[in-house]
C-alpha cells in the first residue's frame, strides 16, 4: 500500500503495519462496518475498506482526514471521514470492527496537545489518555460479536489495558501478537525528557484483541 502523508500528518510505522495485518485476519466483507479511530494517514481505514467493509475514519486533525480522502481515492476505495475525538463523531453507531493505533507516548504534559504534529503520539503523563477512552467506550459501539483491535507499547501497561477492557464488559480479551525491539525515536525523545526511565532499552509492541458479547 503506497500512502501519501500531508505535512503535519504522521506517516505509518511498524505498529500500524502490524495492526493492518491483524485487520486482514478478521472476517470482514460486504455488509460489515469498520471504524478507525485516530486514523492519521488512513492506513487502517484503507485496509478495512480493501477487505470490503463500509469504513469510517475519525481524527482530530483536518489534514489527517484530507490525507485519508486522498489515499482512499488513490486506492480506489470509499472511506467516510469524521472529525473529532474517539467516539464523539459516531455517537449512536455500531461497528463490526473497531481498530485504533492511538497516541500512546508518555509526555511531560498532563493532557493531550490541542494542535501540532505531536497530537499523533503524545498522550499525557502515562500515555493512556486516548487509549483508556477507547477501552471504555468500545463496547457501546460494537455489534454483538464485534471485534476491537488496539496497538500500543508495553511501556504504558499491557495488563492495564487487558484489565480495563474486561471491566468494560468485553470478552475473549487477549494479546494477539507481540514484537520486542529497541525503543523507537519517539520513546527515546520522551526518555530524554524524563518521562520514561533511563534504564529502559526495549519495549514490546502489542496487538490487543477483544470481543463484544
Amino acid at each position: 500500500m503506497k500512502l501519501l502523508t500531508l505535512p503535519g500528518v504522521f506517516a505509518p510505522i511498524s505498529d500500524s503495519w502490524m495492526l493492518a495485518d491483524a485487520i486482514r485476519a478478521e472476517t470482514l466483507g460486504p455488509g460489515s462496518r469498520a471504524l478507525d479511530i485516530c486514523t492519521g494517514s488512513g492506513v487502517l481505514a484503507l485496509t478495512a475498506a480493501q477487505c470490503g467493509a463500509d469504513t469510517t475514519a475519525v481524527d482530530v486533525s483536518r489534514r489527517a482526514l484530507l490525507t485519508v480522502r486522498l489515499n482512499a481515492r488513490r486506492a480506489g476505495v470509499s472511506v467516510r471521514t469524521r472529525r473529532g475525538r474517539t467516539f464523539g463523531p459516531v455517537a449512536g453507531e455500531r461497528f463490526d470492527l473497531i481498530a485504533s493505533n492511538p497516541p500512546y507516548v508518555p509526555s511531560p504534559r498532563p493532557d493531550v496537545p490541542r494542535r501540532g504534529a505531536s497530537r499523533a503520539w503524545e498522550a499525557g503523563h502515562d500515555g493512556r489518555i486516548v487509549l483508556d477512552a477507547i477501552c471504555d467506550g468500545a463496547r457501546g459501539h460494537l455489534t454483538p460479536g464485534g471485534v476491537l483491535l488496539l496497538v500500543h507499547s508495553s511501556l504504558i501497561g499491557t495488563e492495564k489495558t487487558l484489565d480495563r477492557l474486561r471491566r468494560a464488559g468485553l470478552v475473549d480479551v487477549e494479546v494477539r501478537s507481540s514484537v520486542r525491539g529497541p525503543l523507537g525515536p519517539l520513546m527515546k525523545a520522551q526518555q530524554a525528557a524524563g518521562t520514561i526511565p533511563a534504564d529502559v532499552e526495549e519495549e514490546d509492541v502489542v496487538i490487543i484483541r477483544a470481543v463484544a458479547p
Side-chain angles (χ1 to χ4, degrees):
M1 184 185 298
K2 294 182 179 180
L3 297 173
L4 295 174
T5 51
L6 295 178
V9 177
F10 192 64
I13 55 177
S14 59
D15 55 358
S16 288
W17 298 117
M18 284 176 60
L19 190 49
D21 286 341
I23 291 171
R24 294 186 188 99
E26 298 295 330
T27 303
L28 292 173
S32 62
R33 302 190 72 212
L35 174 65
D36 175 15
I37 300 174
C38 306
T39 188
S41 66
V43 58
L44 304 180
L46 266 66
T47 299
Q50 288 175 336
C51 291
D54 180 5
T55 304
T56 300
V58 171
D59 205 288
V60 296
S61 166
R62 291 183 176 88
R63 286 190 181 187
L65 297 179
L66 177 56
T67 297
V68 174
R69 291 192 289 270
L70 290 172
N71 283 322
R73 181 177 299 177
R74 284 164 52 87
V77 296
S78 176
V79 175
R80 182 181 69 153
T81 58
R82 292 292 182 268
R83 182 170 180 264
R85 298 187 181 277
T86 60
F87 298 104
V90 292
E93 298 185 47
R94 290 184 181 265
F95 301 86
D96 303 294
L97 174 77
I98 297 173
S100 183
N101 181 357
Y104 60 75
V105 176
S107 167
R109 58 183 298 158
D111 55 359
V112 294
R114 296 296 177 183
R115 59 181 62 84
S118 63
R119 289 184 296 181
W121 61 85
E122 290 189 8
H125 290 325
D126 61 1
R128 298 191 60 93
I129 292 177
V130 181
L131 176 64
D132 285 346
I134 295 171
C135 290
D136 294 345
R139 183 181 178 184
H141 291 276
L142 283 168
T143 59
V147 172
L148 172 68
L149 292 172
L150 296 169
V151 64
H152 68 72
S153 168
S154 60
L155 296 184
I156 67 169
T158 302
E159 289 300 323
K160 288 182 180 179
T161 303
L162 298 175
D163 290 343
R164 194 165 190 121
L165 290 170
R166 293 184 184 111
R167 292 198 306 270
L170 297 180
V171 299
D172 298 331
V173 181
E174 63 177 356
V175 176
R176 183 189 180 279
S177 59
S178 177
V179 175
R180 188 162 186 82
L183 297 185
L186 295 176
M187 287 295 188
K188 285 183 178 179
Q190 295 303 335
Q191 192 174 50
T195 57
I196 298 172
D199 60 347
V200 174
E201 297 180 352
E202 294 185 315
E203 64 180 331
D204 295 310
V205 176
V206 296
I207 303 290
I208 294 177
R209 184 181 188 271
V211 180

